[in-house]
Amino acid sequence: MSLEFLIEKTSGPGRRGRLRTPHAEIETPVFMPVGTVASVKGVPQDTLEELGAQIILGNTYHLYLRPGVETVRKMGGLHGFMSWNRAILTDSGGFQVFSLSELRKLTEDGVTFRSHLDGSSHFFSPESAMEAQISLGADIIMAFDECTEYPADQARMRQSMELTARWAARSKKYFEEHKHNVPWKTPLGKEHVATAAFGRVTTGQPKAAVPTCFERTQSLFGIVQGGMDRALRKESAERTIEIGFPGYAIGGLSVGEPRELTREIVESTLEHLPKDKPRYLMGVGTPEEIVEYANLGVDMMDCVLPTRAARHGLLFTSEGKVSIKQARYVQDQGSLDPNCSCRVCQRYSRAYLRHLYASNEVLAQVLNTIHNLTFYLDTMRRVRHSISLGEEYRFLSGVWSRPAP
Amino acid sequence: MSLEFLIEKTSGPGRRGRLRTPHAEIETPVFMPVGTVASVKGVPQDTLEELGAQIILGNTYHLYLRPGVETVRKMGGLHGFMSWNRAILTDSGGFQVFSLSELRKLTEDGVTFRSHLDGSSHFFSPESAMEAQISLGADIIMAFDECTEYPADQARMRQSMELTARWAARSKKYFEEHKHNVPWKTPLGKEHVATAAFGRVTTGQPKAAVPTCFERTQSLFGIVQGGMDRALRKESAERTIEIGFPGYAIGGLSVGEPRELTREIVESTLEHLPKDKPRYLMGVGTPEEIVEYANLGVDMMDCVLPTRAARHGLLFTSEGKVSIKQARYVQDQGSLDPNCSCRVCQRYSRAYLRHLYASNEVLAQVLNTIHNLTFYLDTMRRVRHSISLGEEYRFLSGVWSRPAP
């Protein structure tokens, strides 16, 4: 096996665990910063390490177009290319093909599309998406799926879900036959002895180390689709589980539907996913949402919100959102978030951050992104801590609470 | 006195010294990175500290327009505003008024100009430029001068030089009458005892500490103009020295003239400047030039070249210039400069830097700037070391040499 998942503690449906990948062990629930083209925009890798980013996400569609998977493969995969020795996850490229490119033709075989960069024509299939992701060499890669648009009628949701299921089987088949082509050049320095039985669910302390064979290949996750229909989501989950993956993602959410509906679909879909495997909710969400979904039992989340909002001067703080461009901050000597220990809040005033943003200085993006990522990663740290403490303590919407007895 | 300058060692005309300012002691010769609007573009202040930047430069013209001197003054000056506790120098604004803005009217009194940002009308005089610089609160500030264009005829060079001389006297008068308005709120924590007699020239070891009164105000430097005419430069130096400043700058060079002419004017002007005062060559230059001029006895230099070139993908290395955008680097696994110990060269490949630049990623600017500044600051460190070693050793054009006996 190339992935181990140990649940160390549960609190209601929420779980605190450890996910062992070839490059790093990850504490879950985890938030994964998005590094679209092998860079979390504006943030050097050593700073990401300082912030405690355990795993970052790369976008296969973007990397395929630029610099191209062959270049990344020759540099030892994304880890070597971008000099990042912690874990990486790549998406399948499907979501961007449908959302960013000019889609030319969708067939059972795959998708022909035009690059959003130069209009050139390309083809993605489950097989070619796997080939690309094996060359990119992330620790966790994703099956090629079709992200169903919102709104969609029942027939469309079913047809799309079924296509995703067939593509999942093809993705797994290609992956199993080619996974040893991963471009990692050298094994990790230290002996790989598993610290726990794979997938063992426990609510107590970690088990003593149980030596198992840990294979240094990638892991392929399946993706549950099915639009906003609970029955289709259940069927999609069952069909994906039948194919069999070491982890399962919930895709096709946060695509424009009301937040209540997102939550309903997440909660109902989680019921049908195996408890002993990591569950990844794709493309979600606000700070409140990542807390909510982690407490519902989601183990992994990614979202462009903290990094994208930072570029637009929207900053998340313990006292609420701050739009740093506002004139009210021109002479505000206070720190951005008095409860934040990041290097931005410890050093700079709101007035300075406002000035950098208003002057269109690159440092604005750098500092804003560092702060927003800190806020997200700190939020997830608090969620993990609250799950460790047990059901009496909850960390919700940025506030610790202990329900009355 | 608010500035102390100690020459610890000379090697030919080159001098290695220490310049004590209210916020920091600076080893000279020193290169000053340019932080136009209170930010060295793309580089956080803690990174600048790591790189060993001892003093940075702010542009009064830009800061006057945005965020405005009153805002900076209320934040405790530039030091408080940008959270930088080492030394700062501001220029007078004159150069930018003449080069960036739409110049409306130049009179004996001053200059009326339109902002390059929004076309609004403003007026700079020696007095208002001093007032702005006192509010900005840099450790070293510059007299308001007119930077003579190149080429210019003899009459124009003389007229411009004489205007600069009259403005220098007005600058000094206003500064002396208002320097106590500097917005620093608190004295430094430790007792200010001078470590050496002011301006004492010595070729041996530093003298034992001689307690003197160290006044915590800014220092105003005069600027020598005179175009490309050696006699006018001499006259300008004499007239500026007669007014009396704790340091002298050579302005009006690197404005389009041939490099041989620059060197000739620098060398001849230096002859007329007091040996015991710091000498600042403004807006110069390439890595080769900063070495050359430091060895000629220049103590301070600033230039946008390392930061601006970085933004255009032009990188300075021990093996020559690298234009990182070139296709030859697409799969180049080597580090940018194998002889550089900066965090960029220690971690990333040329292929990755090329990809970031080609993909228009903000991290390209961040990393390129960090490297180029490291190269400049390391170059100046080597020059200081070479002067310490004495005349037998020279560091020129990036190469150590020991002349044949």
Side-chain angles (χ1 to χ4, degrees):
Chain A
M1 60 202 70
S2 56
L3 195 80
E4 291 181 340
F5 185 51
L6 171 73
I7 295 173
E8 296 180 315
K9 179 83 181 174
T10 60
S11 174
R15 322 100 71 74
R16 179 184 166 139
R18 280 188 291 154
L19 181 65
R20 187 169 167 228
T21 72
H23 284 87
E25 188 173 285
I26 298 156
E27 293 184 89
T28 62
V30 65
F31 178 77
M32 305 183 285
V34 177
T36 299
V37 285
S39 167
V40 175
K41 293 189 188 303
V43 185
Q45 274 72 306
D46 52 353
T47 303
L48 286 174
E49 288 168 354
E50 274 175 38
L51 300 186
Q54 307 181 77
I55 173 170
I56 60 175
L57 185 143
N59 291 119
T60 297
Y61 167 85
H62 291 90
L63 291 162
Y64 164 86
L65 292 177
R66 202 166 51 183
V69 292
E70 187 55 19
T71 289
V72 176
R73 190 187 67 75
K74 284 194 177 157
M75 308 296 290
L78 277 172
H79 291 91
F81 181 60
M82 68 182 290
S83 187
W84 176 256
N85 293 320
R86 298 187 183 176
I88 301 176
L89 181 148
T90 49
D91 62 9
S92 68
F95 180 77
Q96 276 81 20
V97 165
F98 295 106
S99 63
L100 279 185
S101 73
E102 188 189 331
L103 183 61
R104 293 198 60 209
K105 203 175 158 199
L106 171 68
T107 66
E108 181 66 28
D109 197 27
V111 185
T112 306
F113 62 96
R114 285 194 180 279
S115 159
H116 74 291
L117 294 175
D118 61 7
S120 56
S121 184
H122 303 272
F123 178 71
F124 267 8
S125 67
E127 292 76 18
S128 71
M130 290 307 104
E131 190 183 17
Q133 288 187 83
I134 292 169
S135 290
L136 294 175
D139 297 86
I140 298 172
I141 71 177
M142 304 303 297
F144 192 62
D145 64 327
E146 191 197 24
C147 178
T148 317
E149 68 282 2
Y150 176 84
D153 65 26
Q154 188 70 16
R156 167 70 190 129
M157 288 191 290
R158 166 161 291 282
Q159 169 232 348
S160 176
M161 179 275 282
E162 292 185 344
L163 181 66
T164 287
R166 292 191 296 274
W167 282 1
R170 285 168 55 189
S171 294
K172 182 177 176 182
K173 181 168 188 291
Y174 189 94
F175 174 71
E176 291 298 334
E177 290 168 359
H178 297 84
K179 65 183 178 183
H180 290 290
N181 295 335
V182 70
W184 303 326
K185 285 173 179 167
T186 52
L188 285 188
K190 52 184 178 177
E191 192 59 34
H192 276 77
V193 176
T195 51
F198 176 77
R200 176 82 180 254
V201 179
T202 146
T203 53
Q205 293 304 304
K207 300 287 180 189
V210 178
T212 61
C213 175
F214 190 80
E215 191 180 36
R216 289 200 76 237
T217 57
Q218 301 171 283
S219 291
L220 173 65
F221 279 22
I223 303 178
V224 175
Q225 291 285 351
M228 303 302 158
D229 185 282
R230 295 170 63 142
L232 285 180
R233 286 278 173 180
K234 176 170 185 286
E235 184 178 337
S236 179
E238 288 166 353
R239 290 173 72 160
T240 313
I241 293 164
E242 194 179 327
I243 299 165
F245 294 95
Y248 296 92
I250 305 175
L253 292 177
S254 268
V255 291
E257 78 281 6
R259 186 178 157 179
E260 260 316 297
L261 186 52
T262 318
R263 185 195 153 102
E264 185 189 312
I265 298 295
V266 170
E267 203 163 4
S268 77
T269 305
L270 284 171
E271 287 173 23
H272 307 297
L273 294 180
K275 283 199 162 30
D276 62 349
K277 298 280 166 64
R279 302 140 155 195
Y280 165 26
L281 178 56
M282 304 180 83
V284 170
T286 64
E288 294 76 19
E289 286 170 321
I290 66 170
V291 172
E292 183 176 6
Y293 295 128
N295 282 319
L296 285 177
V298 169
D299 305 298
M300 304 161 70
M301 279 172 273
D302 79 284
C303 192
V304 293
L305 187 55
T307 42
R308 184 173 290 165
R311 297 199 290 280
H312 294 100
L314 187 68
L315 302 170
F316 299 100
T317 81
S318 63
E319 297 170 340
K321 278 182 278 193
V322 168
S323 176
I324 200 66
K325 68 187 76 170
Q326 291 176 6
R328 60 196 284 205
Y329 302 121
V330 165
Q331 295 182 3
D332 186 336
Q333 304 207 25
S335 68
L336 174 59
D337 184 347
N339 300 313
C340 179
S341 62
C342 84
R343 60 162 84 181
V344 179
C345 292
Q346 291 298 311
R347 180 153 196 166
Y348 306 105
S349 64
R350 290 178 170 198
Y352 183 63
L353 295 175
R354 195 266 173 192
H355 161 66
L356 292 178
Y357 188 85
S359 302
N360 207 22
E361 283 289 304
V362 162
L363 192 57
Q365 174 175 340
V366 174
L367 299 182
N368 291 350
T369 304
I370 289 173
H371 170 78
N372 270 1
L373 282 180
T374 299
F375 189 80
Y376 266 68
L377 295 168
D378 276 356
T379 295
M380 218 46 130
R381 260 181 224 111
R382 291 194 177 97
V383 170
R384 290 196 294 270
H385 186 51
S386 92
I387 294 174
S388 297
L389 292 176
E391 290 193 42
E392 285 173 55
Y393 295 87
R394 297 297 293 273
F395 181 74
L396 277 169
S397 298
V399 177
W400 283 92
S401 67
R402 183 175 180 173
Chain B
M1 60 202 72
S2 56
L3 195 80
E4 291 181 340
F5 185 52
L6 170 73
I7 295 174
E8 296 179 314
K9 178 83 181 176
T10 59
S11 175
R15 321 99 72 75
R16 179 183 166 138
R18 281 189 291 154
L19 182 65
R20 190 170 163 227
T21 72
H23 284 87
E25 188 173 284
I26 298 156
E27 293 184 89
T28 61
V30 66
F31 179 77
M32 305 183 285
V34 176
T36 299
V37 284
S39 167
V40 175
K41 293 189 186 306
V43 185
Q45 274 72 308
D46 52 355
T47 303
L48 286 175
E49 288 168 354
E50 275 173 37
L51 300 187
Q54 309 180 75
I55 174 170
I56 59 176
L57 185 143
N59 291 120
T60 297
Y61 168 84
H62 290 91
L63 291 162
Y64 164 86
L65 292 177
R66 201 164 54 182
V69 292
E70 187 54 19
T71 288
V72 177
R73 189 186 67 75
K74 284 194 177 156
M75 307 296 290
L78 278 173
H79 291 90
F81 180 60
M82 67 182 290
S83 188
W84 176 256
N85 293 320
R86 298 185 183 178
I88 300 176
L89 180 149
T90 49
D91 63 9
S92 68
F95 181 76
Q96 276 81 19
V97 164
F98 294 106
S99 63
L100 279 184
S101 74
E102 187 189 331
L103 182 61
R104 294 198 60 207
K105 201 175 158 202
L106 170 68
T107 65
E108 180 66 29
D109 198 27
V111 184
T112 305
F113 62 96
R114 284 194 180 279
S115 159
H116 73 293
L117 295 175
D118 62 6
S120 55
S121 185
H122 303 273
F123 177 72
F124 268 7
S125 66
E127 292 76 18
S128 71
M130 290 307 104
E131 190 182 17
Q133 288 188 83
I134 291 168
S135 290
L136 294 174
D139 297 86
I140 298 172
I141 70 176
M142 304 303 298
F144 191 63
D145 63 328
E146 189 195 25
C147 178
T148 317
E149 69 281 2
Y150 176 84
D153 65 25
Q154 187 70 14
R156 167 71 189 129
M157 288 191 291
R158 165 161 292 283
Q159 169 233 347
S160 175
M161 180 275 281
E162 292 185 343
L163 181 65
T164 286
R166 292 191 296 274
W167 282 2
R170 284 167 55 189
S171 294
K172 181 176 177 183
K173 180 168 188 292
Y174 189 94
F175 174 72
E176 291 298 335
E177 289 167 1
H178 297 84
K179 64 183 178 183
H180 290 289
N181 295 336
V182 70
W184 303 326
K185 285 172 178 169
T186 52
L188 286 187
K190 53 184 180 179
E191 191 59 33
H192 277 76
V193 175
T195 52
F198 176 75
R200 176 84 180 252
V201 180
T202 145
T203 53
Q205 293 303 306
K207 301 288 180 189
V210 179
T212 61
C213 174
F214 190 81
E215 191 180 37
R216 286 200 77 238
T217 57
Q218 302 171 283
S219 292
L220 173 65
F221 280 22
I223 303 178
V224 174
Q225 292 284 353
M228 303 303 158
D229 185 284
R230 296 169 64 142
L232 284 180
R233 286 279 171 179
K234 176 170 187 283
E235 184 177 337
S236 179
E238 288 166 354
R239 290 173 72 159
T240 312
I241 292 164
E242 193 179 328
I243 297 166
F245 295 94
Y248 296 93
I250 305 176
L253 293 176
S254 267
V255 290
E257 77 282 7
R259 186 177 156 180
E260 259 316 297
L261 186 52
T262 317
R263 184 193 153 101
E264 183 189 314
I265 298 295
V266 170
E267 203 163 3
S268 76
T269 306
L270 284 171
E271 286 173 24
H272 307 296
L273 294 180
K275 283 199 161 31
D276 62 348
K277 298 280 165 62
R279 301 141 156 194
Y280 164 27
L281 178 56
M282 304 181 83
V284 169
T286 64
E288 294 76 20
E289 286 170 323
I290 66 171
V291 172
E292 183 176 5
Y293 294 128
N295 281 318
L296 285 177
V298 169
D299 305 299
M300 305 162 70
M301 280 172 272
D302 77 285
C303 192
V304 293
L305 187 55
T307 42
R308 182 174 291 166
R311 296 199 290 281
H312 294 100
L314 188 69
L315 303 171
F316 299 100
T317 81
S318 63
E319 298 170 340
K321 278 182 275 193
V322 168
S323 175
I324 200 67
K325 69 186 76 171
Q326 291 177 6
R328 59 195 287 204
Y329 302 121
V330 164
Q331 295 182 4
D332 187 335
Q333 304 207 24
S335 69
L336 174 59
D337 184 347
N339 299 313
C340 178
S341 61
C342 83
R343 59 162 84 183
V344 180
C345 292
Q346 292 298 310
R347 179 151 196 168
Y348 306 104
S349 65
R350 290 178 170 197
Y352 183 63
L353 295 175
R354 196 266 173 192
H355 161 67
L356 292 177
Y357 188 85
S359 301
N360 208 21
E361 283 290 304
V362 162
L363 192 57
Q365 175 175 339
V366 175
L367 298 183
N368 290 349
T369 305
I370 288 173
H371 169 78
N372 270 1
L373 282 180
T374 299
F375 189 81
Y376 266 68
L377 295 168
D378 276 357
T379 295
M380 218 47 130
R381 260 182 223 110
R382 291 194 177 97
V383 170
R384 290 195 295 269
H385 186 51
S386 92
I387 294 173
S388 297
L389 291 176
E391 289 194 43
E392 284 172 55
Y393 295 86
R394 297 298 291 274
F395 180 74
L396 276 169
S397 299
V399 176
W400 283 92
S401 66
R402 182 175 181 173

